[in-house]
Amino acid sequence: MALNSILADSISAPDSIPEGLLEAFESYERALLSNDVATLNSLFAPGPDTIRGDGTNLLIGHDAIVGFRSARTSIPTRRVAQLFVRSIDDDNALVMASTIEPSTNSTGLQTQLWRRDGAWHVVAAHVTLPKKATAPRPATPYDASVWRVLGDPLVPARAEGPLSGVTLAVKDLFAVEGHRLGCGNPQYLSEQAPQFGSAPVVVSLLEAGAEITGIACTDEFAYGLAGQNEHYGTAPNPQVPGAVGGGSTSGPAAAVALGQVAVGLGTDTAGSIRVPASYQGLVGIRSTHGALGTAGVAPLAPSFDTIGWLTRDVQTSLAVAEHLLPATRRGQIRRTVVLPCVDAYADPAVAAACASARTALIGTGALPPASGTTPDIDATTLESWFIAFRTVQAFEAWQSHGDWITANPGALGHAVAQRFAVASGVTEDAAAAARTVVDRARIRLREFLADAVLVLPAASGGAPAIDAPADVIEADRAATLHLTVLAGLAGAPAVSIPLLHSPDGKPVGLCLVGAPATDLDLLDLARRIERTRL
C-alpha cells in the first residue's frame, strides 16, 4: 500500500475504510509536507461551513482557511505514527492521526471529518501540533540596563504564523501575562501583582508566531528621551559607545541594536521610538494614533501615546506592520514636502545632509516629486504648537501617575522627578487652552500632509555622550522635540530610517511623516530608500 511510506506503525481496520479515503488522506499528507498549497486548498470542502481549529485559531469557511494557509511560512516535518478511521457511512468518515516531530520525538494529534461528494474533502479538522525543536541559543549577557526580565524565551509563541521565528523585546509598559509591570521604576514594580493577561497587541504578536525574549527597560513612566534610568542605568548604544541610546524605548532599542532580538516593541509619545532609532541606526515606526489599541499599556499622555517598534531592517518592520495594522489602500503618497522652519532645529550640518538626501532620493524616484506649493509654518506658530504639546503631555502625565508619585515621595530619579514636578503645576484651564491650540495644529498638519510625505531629520543630531552635562542633554532634548512633536500633534505615523550622520560621524535618522493611516505607505517608501544606496 502506498501509505506505508507515510505511516510508521499501523492503520486501524483497513477493511472498513471507504474506498478512496486513504488515497485522499495520503494526498493531504504529502501536500502538507511539501507545502503544496493548491492541493491542500482543494482537499478542504468549498463553502462557508468548512471549519479548521487548533490551539489558537478557529477558522470558519474555506476562504478563511485558504487565507490562513497562505500566510504560513513554516513547513511541517512531522510524520504520521498511527492512523485510525471510523466510518460513519459510505460517504462520511472520521480520521484521527497521531503524529511525531522527529527532531523532538514529541507527539501531536490530527482529527478530520471527511465527506465524499464525488471526491473526498475535509469538512472539519482540528490539529494539535507536535513541538518543534529549537536551536540552542548562545548565552546572552544579562544587562540590567537593557533587560528587566530575560528568558529563553520568556513567553513562547502561541501558534505558527507569519511572524514565526521573530523574537521580541517588550517595553516595560506592556502587560505580559504572569509578569509584573514595572514602568521603569523598582518601587512601582515591587507593588504590582503579576498580570492576569497580556496587552492585546502582545497577544496578536504571539498568535502570529513571535516569541518574547524578555521585558526590556524604559525611562521611568516613559517620561524621557535620552534612555537614562537612574535606577537601572543607561542602556548601551552599540553604534556610538559612550553615548546615550535614546529613550524612552531604551531597553528594546538596545536589545535590537545588540542583535539579541529582531523586534523591539515600544511606545512613542513625543519621539520615544524615533529618537532611539535615530541614535542607534535602526528602523523605527510610530504608528497612526489609535490604529492599535493601547489596552494593557501603561499611559503617559493618551492624547499622543501610540504603539511602535524598532528593527534592524525595513522588511522586518513591514512584516510586523502588515500583521498588526489595519489593511489600507496603498499608494496614497504622491508628493514630498518640507518645513524649513522645523529643519532649523537640527544641527546645521544634519539639516544640510537631510536636504541633500531629499534631493537625491527624489531624483532616484525613491521619494515622490517635491511639491512646489508647500507653505512653511512660521517660527512663532511652531513654538506655540510645541508649548501646547508639552502642556497637554505634562497635564496628562500627571493625571496618569500623579497619585502614585504623591504617595511615594523620593521614588523617582532626579530628572524625571523634575518633569513630574512641572507637570503637577499644570492647571485644567491651562490644559484646556493648550488643547485648543493642539486641535488647530492637528487640522492644519493633516491638511498639510494630505497625499504627502514630510521628510525631516529624526533628531537634531547624533546621540549625546552619557557624561555630557545635564543642560547639554536637556538642550538636545528640546531641539529634537521640536522635530518630533509634529507627528504627535497630527496623530500621524512616522518612520525613522538610518541614512544621515552628524558632523562627528554619529548616525542620525531620516524621518518620514505621513497623513494618518499611511503607515504601510511610509514603510513602502522606507524600503525603496533602503534599497537606494546614496
Side-chain angles (χ1 to χ4, degrees):
M1 183 181 293
L3 279 173
N4 287 339
S5 61
I6 293 180
L7 297 181
D9 298 316
S10 65
I11 304 172
S12 73
D15 293 339
S16 65
I17 297 175
E19 182 180 357
L21 178 61
L22 287 182
E23 289 76 11
F25 180 82
E26 180 182 19
S27 295
Y28 176 88
E29 284 297 308
R30 292 191 184 283
L32 189 71
L33 297 177
S34 64
N35 202 32
D36 181 354
V37 173
T39 297
L40 291 170
N41 291 341
S42 70
L43 286 169
F44 271 75
D49 298 325
T50 304
I51 56 175
R52 178 200 181 277
D54 54 35
T56 302
N57 300 296
L58 179 61
L59 305 171
I60 301 175
H62 188 270
D63 290 347
I65 297 169
V66 169
F68 164 80
R69 189 170 288 117
S70 67
R72 190 181 63 187
T73 58
S74 178
I75 302 174
T77 58
R78 73 185 193 191
R79 65 179 176 83
V80 175
Q82 288 186 300
L83 180 67
F84 298 87
V85 179
R86 295 295 180 263
S87 297
I88 299 170
D89 54 36
D90 289 344
D91 295 317
N92 294 275
L94 183 69
V95 176
M96 297 185 70
S98 64
T99 60
I100 292 177
E101 172 59 46
S103 59
T104 62
N105 208 36
S106 58
T107 60
L109 182 64
Q110 175 176 287
T111 304
Q112 298 169 328
L113 179 62
W114 288 77
R115 177 176 300 160
R116 178 163 51 188
D117 48 4
W120 286 101
H121 293 102
V122 177
V123 295
H126 184 270
V127 182
T128 301
L129 298 170
K131 292 182 179 179
K132 287 203 163 190
T134 56
R137 297 181 182 173
T140 300
Y142 186 94
D143 185 338
S145 71
V146 176
W147 298 104
R148 186 175 69 72
V149 183
L150 188 62
D152 189 26
L154 184 69
V155 182
R158 295 191 177 187
E160 293 186 5
L163 299 180
S164 289
V166 171
T167 51
L168 298 172
V170 176
K171 187 176 184 177
D172 195 13
L173 297 183
F174 289 79
V176 176
E177 185 175 0
H179 296 273
R180 293 177 296 160
L181 189 67
C183 294
N185 184 279
Q187 175 64 31
Y188 184 85
L189 173 69
S190 70
E191 300 173 4
Q192 305 306 304
Q195 295 290 313
F196 287 109
S198 296
V201 68
V202 172
V203 172
S204 181
L205 291 168
L206 293 173
E207 290 180 343
E211 62 180 42
I212 298 175
T213 298
I215 298 172
C217 294
T218 174
D219 294 28
E220 291 178 85
F221 297 104
Y223 211 175
L225 210 58
Q228 294 175 302
N229 186 305
E230 294 181 31
H231 309 286
Y232 298 107
T234 300
N237 182 338
Q239 289 295 311
V240 190
V244 300
S248 63
T249 311
S250 49
V256 172
L258 288 165
Q260 295 175 353
V261 294
V263 177
L265 181 67
T267 59
D268 187 306
T269 302
S272 292
I273 291 282
R274 292 162 286 160
V275 172
S278 182
Y279 285 176
Q280 299 190 51
L282 300 172
V283 177
I285 177 172
R286 165 202 165 88
S287 63
T288 295
H289 188 265
L292 294 172
T294 53
V297 184
L300 176 63
S303 291
F304 309 119
D305 295 345
T306 189
I307 291 169
W309 50 93
L310 300 112
T311 61
R312 289 186 295 278
D313 61 87
V314 176
Q315 186 55 47
T316 302
S317 188
L318 188 57
V320 175
E322 289 178 331
H323 170 71
L324 285 180
L325 293 169
T328 55
R329 180 176 59 85
R330 287 154 106 157
Q332 301 177 65
I333 296 175
R334 292 183 286 276
R335 59 193 180 99
T336 297
V337 295
V338 298
L339 286 173
C341 176
V342 177
D343 285 358
Y345 282 92
D347 178 283
V350 169
C354 181
S356 177
R358 276 193 302 250
T359 300
L361 291 168
I362 290 170
T364 64
L367 285 174
S371 169
T373 58
T374 301
D376 193 14
I377 296 170
D378 63 81
T380 301
T381 299
L382 178 63
E383 190 63 23
S384 71
W385 291 359
F386 172 71
I387 293 170
F389 179 97
R390 297 192 72 177
T391 300
V392 174
Q393 180 192 33
F395 180 78
E396 293 187 356
W398 187 253
Q399 297 304 304
S400 296
H401 303 293
D403 288 347
W404 184 88
I405 292 168
T406 301
N408 292 272
L412 296 176
H414 177 69
V416 176
Q418 285 187 316
R419 291 185 197 118
F420 273 110
V422 172
S424 69
V426 179
T427 66
E428 290 189 8
D429 287 346
R435 282 201 176 96
T436 299
V437 177
V438 167
D439 290 343
R440 288 199 299 264
R442 177 167 292 126
I443 292 169
R444 187 168 175 188
L445 282 167
R446 289 186 174 185
E447 291 173 348
F448 176 80
L449 291 170
D451 77 359
V453 57
L454 169 64
V455 182
L456 70 166
S460 64
I466 291 174
D467 57 1
D471 60 337
V472 171
I473 289 180
E474 188 58 32
D476 180 83
R477 177 175 181 267
T480 292
L481 282 169
H482 279 82
L483 301 168
T484 59
V485 297
L486 296 178
L489 287 165
V495 175
S496 176
I497 53 176
L499 192 69
L500 311 176
H501 290 87
S502 65
D504 52 0
K506 298 175 182 177
V508 179
L510 183 76
C511 190
L512 311 176
V513 182
T518 60
D519 309 60
L520 297 177
D521 271 343
L522 292 182
L523 286 169
D524 287 339
L525 287 178
R527 183 167 52 180
R528 282 157 54 181
I529 293 170
E530 186 178 62
R531 293 171 177 172
T532 302
R533 304 297 181 186
L534 293 182

